[in-house]
Amino acid sequence: MTVEQLASGIQQGSRRCLSKGITLVESSRKEDQEKVNGLISLLPQKKDTLRVGISGVPGVGKSTFIERLGNYLIEEGHRVAVLAIDPSSPTSGGSILGDKTRMETLSAKEEAFIRPSPTSGTLGGVAKRTRETIRLCEAANYDIILIETVGVGQSEYEVASMVDCFLVMMLPGGGDSLQGIKRGILEITDILVINKADGDQKKLAEIAKSEYGHAFHMLASKYKGIKTSILSISALEDLGVIEVWNSIKRFRDVLVNQHLFELNRNKQEIQWFKRLVEEEVLQTIWSDKDKKIKVHDIHEKILNGAITPYEAALRLLSSMKLK
């Protein structure tokens, strides 16, 4: 299948072509990456979509929440793509990729597309080509893109740079919850959702909601005049999920009205460009035979104490005319 045929199939909504396109995007082969460049250039850039990042600690119920939300969105006439990022082993490279099996009802819907992807050693808890995958899903006429990422940490900062709304899920626990989340993550959170607010934990969820409310009052707002929404829900019992979606819509509308939505999308394009340049530079350094020899020599000098790692880095970059 040619790149032109693949691009045409994706725009016609072919799930097979979309899957093949994402597989091509995720390939590390140089010839495949050259095809990716051609593929992306043939696809339209859509601005009437909504990208939502969803993160939280393991066990918080992200998959259950996404399935409930995805089913509701489809009932409302939307087409939903879920990009579920699973951490891969740094030694074997393997990944469980179990999110699709945890979203059985959603994955059975024709209007839904679920793509589990491994991080493949990429820092930030996102797949290496998540940005490209988003573009492909949007070209295939999926208007809501949900990006589920792993853990609470560096992943949040990377995901927040590629979505329109960043949602963090937390477990009930009152004041103790605040100790498990960094101040920096609160500062980039657009919507905070306390899940599993049911049974004995319902009261704890309300306490946590109050605690987080006080915490946000002490922080500078991510956007001037836009407060972070805090909601308590039970995805398992399907309580509060619609309210979360309504909160996401209100947040998007405020961004649009303040001309921040398009500004953020433009920033995402520049961030994408920077990431691609960084990857290409690293690929050039570590794959070129002559540079490998030079790097090996530098390794020896560092180990022998003849040069500091900082000085070694400057010399290498200078030799490549990058410094």
Side-chain angles (χ1 to χ4, degrees):
M1 185 179 292
T2 66
V3 170
E4 290 76 15
Q5 290 173 328
L6 196 58
S8 177
I10 289 173
Q11 293 180 74
Q12 291 173 22
S14 168
R15 296 163 70 93
R16 177 172 173 271
C17 287
L18 178 56
S19 295
K20 286 176 70 71
I22 295 175
T23 299
L24 186 68
V25 158
E26 292 178 343
S27 172
S28 59
R29 296 169 59 188
K30 188 173 182 179
E31 55 268 33
D32 286 341
Q33 286 306 307
E34 290 173 354
K35 291 179 181 178
V36 169
N37 180 45
L39 177 61
I40 295 293
S41 65
L42 291 171
L43 299 175
Q45 183 177 353
K46 298 193 174 182
K47 296 185 178 181
D48 56 347
T49 60
L50 182 61
R51 305 166 183 173
V52 181
I54 300 172
S55 192
V57 295
V60 75
K62 295 188 294 291
S63 296
T64 302
F65 169 73
I66 290 172
E67 181 167 46
R68 299 287 194 188
L69 177 61
N71 284 325
Y72 171 73
L73 292 174
I74 289 171
E75 290 175 3
E76 292 294 299
H78 295 284
R79 286 170 54 83
V80 181
V82 179
L83 307 181
I85 317 300
D86 275 352
S88 50
S89 167
T91 52
S92 67
S95 183
I96 298 174
L97 302 177
D99 286 282
K100 197 164 185 176
T101 61
R102 291 196 291 267
M103 303 180 196
E104 292 182 5
T105 61
L106 184 60
S107 60
K109 300 284 179 65
E110 184 65 29
E111 302 85 354
F113 179 81
I114 302 176
R115 177 73 180 206
S117 296
T119 57
S120 300
T122 305
L123 292 176
V126 293
K128 188 175 183 180
R129 298 297 179 192
T130 301
R131 289 177 174 84
E132 288 88 336
T133 302
I134 291 172
R135 182 68 63 85
L136 264 62
C137 289
E138 290 175 339
N141 301 312
Y142 291 96
D143 60 320
I144 308 292
I145 315 296
L146 305 178
I147 305 170
E148 178 194 1
T149 190
V150 293
V152 170
Q154 186 177 349
S155 57
E156 275 64 31
Y157 299 95
E158 192 67 21
V159 172
S161 72
M162 61 180 75
V163 297
D164 306 310
C165 177
F166 181 59
L167 184 151
V168 173
M169 298 185 71
M170 294 296 291
L171 292 165
D176 293 336
S177 301
L178 290 171
Q179 299 175 19
I181 189 168
K182 297 178 181 177
R183 170 174 176 162
I185 294 170
L186 289 178
E187 290 176 339
I188 63 171
T189 300
D190 298 314
I191 297 175
L192 186 72
V193 174
I194 302 164
N195 192 25
K196 301 189 178 182
D198 45 51
D200 296 338
Q201 298 194 95
K202 193 169 183 179
K203 186 175 181 180
L204 288 176
E206 289 305 313
I207 295 173
K209 184 177 178 180
S210 176
E211 292 283 350
Y212 282 120
H214 290 305
F216 278 111
H217 278 304
M218 294 185 289
L219 299 174
S221 299
K222 182 178 176 180
Y223 300 103
K224 188 176 180 180
I226 304 178
K227 293 183 179 180
T228 301
S229 298
I230 308 172
L231 301 97
S232 58
I233 71 166
S234 171
L236 185 64
E237 297 183 358
D238 202 7
L239 298 174
V241 175
I242 296 176
E243 284 72 14
V244 173
W245 172 242
N246 289 335
S247 185
I248 292 172
K249 286 196 298 181
R250 284 194 297 270
F251 176 75
R252 177 198 58 192
D253 291 343
V254 171
L255 290 185
V256 171
N257 291 335
Q258 295 190 15
H259 307 290
L260 293 171
F261 188 90
E262 187 173 356
L263 178 65
N264 288 342
R265 283 287 179 99
N266 291 338
K267 287 180 179 179
Q268 290 172 20
E269 292 293 300
I270 299 302
Q271 186 72 13
W272 186 5
F273 157 72
K274 289 180 178 179
R275 284 286 181 267
L276 290 173
V277 171
E278 290 169 2
E279 290 170 12
E280 188 61 32
V281 170
L282 290 173
Q283 183 70 16
T284 300
I285 292 175
W286 307 131
S287 63
D288 184 271
K289 185 177 180 181
D290 292 335
K291 291 183 177 63
K292 277 185 177 181
I293 295 173
K294 185 176 291 186
V295 170
H296 179 73
D297 292 339
I298 291 175
H299 284 177
E300 292 297 323
K301 290 179 181 178
I302 293 173
L303 295 176
N304 292 332
I307 189 174
T308 66
Y310 181 76
E311 186 180 357
L314 292 179
R315 285 190 186 183
L316 178 62
L317 294 174
S318 179
S319 70
M320 297 177 62
K321 298 182 180 179
L322 293 174
K323 183 71 177 177

mmCIF file of all heavy atoms in Angstrom, residues 110-142:
data_model
loop_
_atom_site.group_PDB
_atom_site.id
_atom_site.type_symbol
_atom_site.label_atom_id
_atom_site.label_comp_id
_atom_site.label_asym_id
_atom_site.label_seq_id
_atom_site.Cartn_x
_atom_site.Cartn_y
_atom_site.Cartn_z
ATOM 1 N N GLU A 110 -18.299 0.672 16.960
ATOM 2 C CA GLU A 110 -17.736 1.067 15.668
ATOM 3 C C GLU A 110 -17.190 2.492 15.716
ATOM 4 O O GLU A 110 -16.238 2.836 15.004
ATOM 5 C CB GLU A 110 -18.828 0.965 14.580
ATOM 6 C CG GLU A 110 -18.335 1.251 13.175
ATOM 7 C CD GLU A 110 -17.332 0.231 12.664
ATOM 8 O OE1 GLU A 110 -17.412 -0.948 13.098
ATOM 9 O OE2 GLU A 110 -16.474 0.606 11.847
ATOM 10 N N GLU A 111 -17.790 3.339 16.560
ATOM 11 C CA GLU A 111 -17.383 4.748 16.635
ATOM 12 C C GLU A 111 -16.180 4.971 17.549
ATOM 13 O O GLU A 111 -15.759 6.118 17.739
ATOM 14 C CB GLU A 111 -18.547 5.611 17.146
ATOM 15 C CG GLU A 111 -19.798 5.532 16.291
ATOM 16 C CD GLU A 111 -20.700 4.366 16.638
ATOM 17 O OE1 GLU A 111 -20.304 3.532 17.493
ATOM 18 O OE2 GLU A 111 -21.811 4.290 16.081
ATOM 19 N N ALA A 112 -15.649 3.876 18.113
ATOM 20 C CA ALA A 112 -14.504 3.998 19.019
ATOM 21 C C ALA A 112 -13.281 3.321 18.414
ATOM 22 O O ALA A 112 -13.384 2.308 17.715
ATOM 23 C CB ALA A 112 -14.821 3.377 20.376
ATOM 24 N N PHE A 113 -12.125 3.891 18.692
ATOM 25 C CA PHE A 113 -10.854 3.307 18.267
ATOM 26 C C PHE A 113 -9.915 3.345 19.458
ATOM 27 O O PHE A 113 -9.633 4.412 20.001
ATOM 28 C CB PHE A 113 -10.255 4.084 17.096
ATOM 29 C CG PHE A 113 -8.931 3.555 16.625
ATOM 30 C CD1 PHE A 113 -8.868 2.459 15.772
ATOM 31 C CD2 PHE A 113 -7.746 4.149 17.044
ATOM 32 C CE1 PHE A 113 -7.641 1.962 15.336
ATOM 33 C CE2 PHE A 113 -6.518 3.656 16.618
ATOM 34 C CZ PHE A 113 -6.459 2.569 15.755
ATOM 35 N N ILE A 114 -9.464 2.179 19.899
ATOM 36 C CA ILE A 114 -8.577 2.104 21.063
ATOM 37 C C ILE A 114 -7.226 1.568 20.615
ATOM 38 O O ILE A 114 -7.139 0.497 20.005
ATOM 39 C CB ILE A 114 -9.166 1.208 22.163
ATOM 40 C CG1 ILE A 114 -10.537 1.750 22.595
ATOM 41 C CG2 ILE A 114 -8.228 1.132 23.363
ATOM 42 C CD1 ILE A 114 -11.250 0.885 23.614
ATOM 43 N N ARG A 115 -6.188 2.315 20.903
ATOM 44 C CA ARG A 115 -4.843 1.915 20.492
ATOM 45 C C ARG A 115 -3.913 1.919 21.698
ATOM 46 O O ARG A 115 -3.480 2.961 22.176
ATOM 47 C CB ARG A 115 -4.313 2.883 19.438
ATOM 48 C CG ARG A 115 -2.889 2.606 18.994
ATOM 49 C CD ARG A 115 -2.784 1.378 18.120
ATOM 50 N NE ARG A 115 -1.398 1.133 17.705
ATOM 51 C CZ ARG A 115 -1.060 0.487 16.590
ATOM 52 N NH1 ARG A 115 -2.005 0.024 15.782
ATOM 53 N NH2 ARG A 115 0.198 0.291 16.286
ATOM 54 N N PRO A 116 -3.583 0.739 22.237
ATOM 55 C CA PRO A 116 -2.574 0.672 23.299
ATOM 56 C C PRO A 116 -1.190 0.788 22.665
ATOM 57 O O PRO A 116 -0.923 0.195 21.618
ATOM 58 C CB PRO A 116 -2.772 -0.720 23.910
ATOM 59 C CG PRO A 116 -3.980 -1.305 23.224
ATOM 60 C CD PRO A 116 -4.136 -0.581 21.939
ATOM 61 N N SER A 117 -0.317 1.559 23.278
ATOM 62 C CA SER A 117 1.044 1.722 22.765
ATOM 63 C C SER A 117 2.023 1.685 23.929
ATOM 64 O O SER A 117 1.753 2.245 24.992
ATOM 65 C CB SER A 117 1.194 3.049 22.020
ATOM 66 O OG SER A 117 0.375 3.073 20.868
ATOM 67 N N PRO A 118 3.185 1.049 23.735
ATOM 68 C CA PRO A 118 4.200 1.029 24.783
ATOM 69 C C PRO A 118 5.007 2.315 24.777
ATOM 70 O O PRO A 118 5.119 2.985 23.750
ATOM 71 C CB PRO A 118 5.082 -0.166 24.393
ATOM 72 C CG PRO A 118 4.990 -0.200 22.890
ATOM 73 C CD PRO A 118 3.591 0.247 22.561
ATOM 74 N N THR A 119 5.566 2.678 25.933
ATOM 75 C CA THR A 119 6.427 3.860 25.988
ATOM 76 C C THR A 119 7.738 3.603 25.260
ATOM 77 O O THR A 119 8.387 4.534 24.803
ATOM 78 C CB THR A 119 6.746 4.243 27.451
ATOM 79 O OG1 THR A 119 7.353 3.116 28.094
ATOM 80 C CG2 THR A 119 5.484 4.623 28.200
ATOM 81 N N SER A 120 8.136 2.324 25.185
ATOM 82 C CA SER A 120 9.363 1.943 24.470
ATOM 83 C C SER A 120 10.577 2.735 24.943
ATOM 84 O O SER A 120 11.411 3.168 24.157
ATOM 85 C CB SER A 120 9.183 2.131 22.959
ATOM 86 O OG SER A 120 8.126 1.333 22.496
ATOM 87 N N GLY A 121 10.635 2.947 26.263
ATOM 88 C CA GLY A 121 11.797 3.627 26.818
ATOM 89 C C GLY A 121 11.732 5.139 26.741
ATOM 90 O O GLY A 121 12.637 5.827 27.183
ATOM 91 N N THR A 122 10.660 5.685 26.181
ATOM 92 C CA THR A 122 10.545 7.132 26.061
ATOM 93 C C THR A 122 10.233 7.754 27.418
ATOM 94 O O THR A 122 9.341 7.301 28.116
ATOM 95 C CB THR A 122 9.420 7.512 25.073
ATOM 96 O OG1 THR A 122 9.669 6.868 23.832
ATOM 97 C CG2 THR A 122 9.378 9.017 24.869
ATOM 98 N N LEU A 123 10.979 8.807 27.770
ATOM 99 C CA LEU A 123 10.720 9.485 29.027
ATOM 100 C C LEU A 123 9.403 10.239 28.940
ATOM 101 O O LEU A 123 8.999 10.698 27.884
ATOM 102 C CB LEU A 123 11.861 10.478 29.327
ATOM 103 C CG LEU A 123 13.219 9.849 29.646
ATOM 104 C CD1 LEU A 123 14.258 10.949 29.813
ATOM 105 C CD2 LEU A 123 13.154 8.986 30.884
ATOM 106 N N GLY A 124 8.755 10.386 30.085
ATOM 107 C CA GLY A 124 7.522 11.159 30.121
ATOM 108 C C GLY A 124 6.274 10.316 30.125
ATOM 109 O O GLY A 124 5.169 10.831 30.156
ATOM 110 N N GLY A 125 6.405 8.982 30.060
ATOM 111 C CA GLY A 125 5.235 8.134 30.165
ATOM 112 C C GLY A 125 4.321 8.188 28.969
ATOM 113 O O GLY A 125 3.157 7.827 29.052
ATOM 114 N N VAL A 126 4.820 8.665 27.839
ATOM 115 C CA VAL A 126 4.026 8.673 26.623
ATOM 116 C C VAL A 126 4.780 7.929 25.541
ATOM 117 O O VAL A 126 5.994 7.795 25.587
ATOM 118 C CB VAL A 126 3.720 10.119 26.136
ATOM 119 C CG1 VAL A 126 2.806 10.825 27.108
ATOM 120 C CG2 VAL A 126 5.004 10.910 25.948
ATOM 121 N N ALA A 127 4.056 7.432 24.559
ATOM 122 C CA ALA A 127 4.705 6.754 23.452
ATOM 123 C C ALA A 127 5.495 7.779 22.644
ATOM 124 O O ALA A 127 5.167 8.961 22.606
ATOM 125 C CB ALA A 127 3.670 6.062 22.574
ATOM 126 N N LYS A 128 6.527 7.305 21.970
ATOM 127 C CA LYS A 128 7.434 8.204 21.259
ATOM 128 C C LYS A 128 6.720 9.021 20.199
ATOM 129 O O LYS A 128 7.082 10.168 19.930
ATOM 130 C CB LYS A 128 8.567 7.384 20.630
ATOM 131 C CG LYS A 128 9.682 8.222 20.027
ATOM 132 C CD LYS A 128 10.808 7.336 19.543
ATOM 133 C CE LYS A 128 11.951 8.165 19.000
ATOM 134 N NZ LYS A 128 13.070 7.309 18.522
ATOM 135 N N ARG A 129 5.708 8.445 19.568
ATOM 136 C CA ARG A 129 5.038 9.116 18.457
ATOM 137 C C ARG A 129 3.579 9.458 18.776
ATOM 138 O O ARG A 129 2.729 9.409 17.903
ATOM 139 C CB ARG A 129 5.101 8.229 17.216
ATOM 140 C CG ARG A 129 6.512 7.935 16.734
ATOM 141 C CD ARG A 129 7.217 9.193 16.304
ATOM 142 N NE ARG A 129 8.585 8.943 15.857
ATOM 143 C CZ ARG A 129 9.481 9.890 15.642
ATOM 144 N NH1 ARG A 129 9.164 11.152 15.872
ATOM 145 N NH2 ARG A 129 10.693 9.593 15.230
ATOM 146 N N THR A 130 3.304 9.809 20.013
ATOM 147 C CA THR A 130 1.923 10.127 20.393
ATOM 148 C C THR A 130 1.372 11.293 19.594
ATOM 149 O O THR A 130 0.211 11.286 19.176
ATOM 150 C CB THR A 130 1.835 10.436 21.895
ATOM 151 O OG1 THR A 130 2.305 9.306 22.635
ATOM 152 C CG2 THR A 130 0.407 10.734 22.307
ATOM 153 N N ARG A 131 2.179 12.327 19.356
ATOM 154 C CA ARG A 131 1.703 13.490 18.611
ATOM 155 C C ARG A 131 1.281 13.113 17.198
ATOM 156 O O ARG A 131 0.246 13.557 16.700
ATOM 157 C CB ARG A 131 2.790 14.564 18.567
ATOM 158 C CG ARG A 131 3.027 15.260 19.913
ATOM 159 C CD ARG A 131 4.161 16.263 19.811
ATOM 160 N NE ARG A 131 4.326 17.034 21.028
ATOM 161 C CZ ARG A 131 5.019 16.626 22.086
ATOM 162 N NH1 ARG A 131 5.597 15.443 22.062
ATOM 163 N NH2 ARG A 131 5.125 17.380 23.164
ATOM 164 N N GLU A 132 2.092 12.285 16.536
ATOM 165 C CA GLU A 132 1.757 11.855 15.186
ATOM 166 C C GLU A 132 0.491 11.002 15.185
ATOM 167 O O GLU A 132 -0.357 11.117 14.290
ATOM 168 C CB GLU A 132 2.923 11.067 14.576
ATOM 169 C CG GLU A 132 4.131 11.907 14.216
ATOM 170 C CD GLU A 132 5.104 12.061 15.376
ATOM 171 O OE1 GLU A 132 4.680 11.938 16.548
ATOM 172 O OE2 GLU A 132 6.301 12.320 15.114
ATOM 173 N N THR A 133 0.362 10.152 16.200
ATOM 174 C CA THR A 133 -0.811 9.285 16.305
ATOM 175 C C THR A 133 -2.080 10.119 16.483
ATOM 176 O O THR A 133 -3.132 9.807 15.913
ATOM 177 C CB THR A 133 -0.654 8.302 17.478
ATOM 178 O OG1 THR A 133 0.535 7.518 17.278
ATOM 179 C CG2 THR A 133 -1.840 7.358 17.571
ATOM 180 N N ILE A 134 -2.006 11.184 17.272
ATOM 181 C CA ILE A 134 -3.140 12.094 17.439
ATOM 182 C C ILE A 134 -3.562 12.651 16.087
ATOM 183 O O ILE A 134 -4.750 12.667 15.742
ATOM 184 C CB ILE A 134 -2.783 13.248 18.398
ATOM 185 C CG1 ILE A 134 -2.618 12.738 19.831
ATOM 186 C CG2 ILE A 134 -3.862 14.339 18.358
ATOM 187 C CD1 ILE A 134 -2.074 13.771 20.793
ATOM 188 N N ARG A 135 -2.587 13.094 15.301
ATOM 189 C CA ARG A 135 -2.889 13.688 13.993
ATOM 190 C C ARG A 135 -3.573 12.674 13.078
ATOM 191 O O ARG A 135 -4.518 13.012 12.352
ATOM 192 C CB ARG A 135 -1.586 14.192 13.355
ATOM 193 C CG ARG A 135 -1.754 14.878 12.001
ATOM 194 C CD ARG A 135 -2.494 16.198 12.112
ATOM 195 N NE ARG A 135 -1.792 17.173 12.899
ATOM 196 C CZ ARG A 135 -0.831 17.984 12.413
ATOM 197 N NH1 ARG A 135 -0.489 17.927 11.154
ATOM 198 N NH2 ARG A 135 -0.257 18.869 13.203
ATOM 199 N N LEU A 136 -3.125 11.425 13.119
ATOM 200 C CA LEU A 136 -3.742 10.381 12.294
ATOM 201 C C LEU A 136 -5.185 10.115 12.721
ATOM 202 O O LEU A 136 -6.073 9.980 11.874
ATOM 203 C CB LEU A 136 -2.922 9.083 12.365
ATOM 204 C CG LEU A 136 -1.902 8.852 11.240
ATOM 205 C CD1 LEU A 136 -0.841 9.953 11.232
ATOM 206 C CD2 LEU A 136 -1.242 7.489 11.383
ATOM 207 N N CYS A 137 -5.420 10.047 14.027
ATOM 208 C CA CYS A 137 -6.776 9.778 14.532
ATOM 209 C C CYS A 137 -7.728 10.915 14.162
ATOM 210 O O CYS A 137 -8.889 10.682 13.801
ATOM 211 C CB CYS A 137 -6.745 9.588 16.051
ATOM 212 S SG CYS A 137 -5.962 8.041 16.592
ATOM 213 N N GLU A 138 -7.249 12.136 14.239
ATOM 214 C CA GLU A 138 -8.085 13.279 13.876
ATOM 215 C C GLU A 138 -8.403 13.260 12.384
ATOM 216 O O GLU A 138 -9.527 13.572 11.979
ATOM 217 C CB GLU A 138 -7.384 14.579 14.262
ATOM 218 C CG GLU A 138 -7.310 14.784 15.771
ATOM 219 C CD GLU A 138 -6.525 16.003 16.180
ATOM 220 O OE1 GLU A 138 -5.700 16.487 15.385
ATOM 221 O OE2 GLU A 138 -6.724 16.489 17.316
ATOM 222 N N ALA A 139 -7.421 12.883 11.562
ATOM 223 C CA ALA A 139 -7.647 12.793 10.115
ATOM 224 C C ALA A 139 -8.659 11.701 9.782
ATOM 225 O O ALA A 139 -9.341 11.767 8.766
ATOM 226 C CB ALA A 139 -6.329 12.526 9.397
ATOM 227 N N ALA A 140 -8.756 10.680 10.668
ATOM 228 C CA ALA A 140 -9.708 9.578 10.459
ATOM 229 C C ALA A 140 -11.091 9.927 11.015
ATOM 230 O O ALA A 140 -11.942 9.051 11.174
ATOM 231 C CB ALA A 140 -9.183 8.304 11.118
ATOM 232 N N ASN A 141 -11.281 11.217 11.318
ATOM 233 C CA ASN A 141 -12.590 11.745 11.746
ATOM 234 C C ASN A 141 -13.001 11.372 13.169
ATOM 235 O O ASN A 141 -14.193 11.286 13.467
ATOM 236 C CB ASN A 141 -13.688 11.333 10.756
ATOM 237 C CG ASN A 141 -13.424 11.836 9.349
ATOM 238 O OD1 ASN A 141 -13.105 13.011 9.167
ATOM 239 N ND2 ASN A 141 -13.515 10.947 8.368
ATOM 240 N N TYR A 142 -12.026 11.135 14.029
ATOM 241 C CA TYR A 142 -12.319 10.994 15.455
ATOM 242 C C TYR A 142 -12.187 12.389 16.056
ATOM 243 O O TYR A 142 -11.117 12.999 16.010
ATOM 244 C CB TYR A 142 -11.358 10.005 16.118
ATOM 245 C CG TYR A 142 -11.592 8.584 15.659
ATOM 246 C CD1 TYR A 142 -10.826 8.037 14.631
ATOM 247 C CD2 TYR A 142 -12.595 7.809 16.219
ATOM 248 C CE1 TYR A 142 -11.054 6.742 14.184
ATOM 249 C CE2 TYR A 142 -12.839 6.519 15.776
ATOM 250 C CZ TYR A 142 -12.063 5.994 14.757
ATOM 251 O OH TYR A 142 -12.310 4.718 14.312
#
